Amino acid sequence: MCRVGGLHSFQHRIVWGSEKEEELERDDDKSWTLYAQTDDASSSGCGMSQRPEPLRLGSVAPNFDADTTNGPINFHEFIGDKWVILFSHPEDYTPVCTTELGAFAKLEPEFTKRGVKLIGLSANTVDSHGGWIKDIDEISGSSLKFPIIGDKERQVALAYDMLDHQDATNVDSKGIAFTIRSVFIIDPKKTIRTILSYPASTGRNTAEVLRIVDSLQTGDKHRITTPINWVPGDDVIVHPSIKTEEAQKIFPKVNIVKPYLRFTTLPKEETSANV
């Protein structure tokens, strides 16, 4: 298999049919059908059959080398001993993406307090990112400091399955698909702990991403899980792997609603939000 910058190279194009009519068809239900076209001239033998297995929770985050607005990185070296949030946006100089990047920049201090690094990505160049950051800061009143990956060839996007397979308008001037709004929360062991995918039309909720980090970090520390709409300071659920007898020793205030549903208090000061 080919390797480019630490990634397997998948030199094929995702085409929406602007170049060849037969490559994009409309089904009877009006949904779009997506085809991949192998670029034989540049593939060096790499094709669709070499696309990686889908990433799942528990997968090791693929490593890669890339240029960013803060200089070149090796992704695993960038992670180091920190948590990382890798998130993609469809395109620079677009309205929803501008609001998102500004919001992440303004909330970055909260992520940093929790030992979390942010890193963005889109299928634009680093130079494009650099100019756009000025607009983001002007519009949002932010000071964006985290790196944004330039992934014009979609190599990282392909490895992380970030490309848009449903929106026929989310493409570049050549009809090649842009990225969707993906979020990967990765722990210090390089393990993917959360995967979120939003369509290009829907902006993300940065507070929810932070809440997930708090849930994961607090759960790792205290052997608990978090119920619906939990925020730090709310009651938590004793992990199912802990027997009730042990739970009563670990959590003196455990409330046994059902044998499988046992709540306990956990003050905000004992969560990862206490920073």
Side-chain angles (χ1 to χ4, degrees), residues 1 8 10 48-57 59-62 157-161 184 192 195:
M1 299 178 78
H8 295 118
F10 307 101
M48 285 296 291
S49 62
Q50 295 171 318
R51 187 166 183 168
E53 290 295 321
L55 295 177
R56 296 181 172 88
L57 301 186
S59 296
V60 174
L158 282 165
Y160 280 81
D161 198 17
F184 292 85
I192 296 173
I195 301 173

Side-chain angles (χ1 to χ4, degrees), residues 55 85 92 183:
L55 295 177
I85 295 174
D92 296 352
V183 179

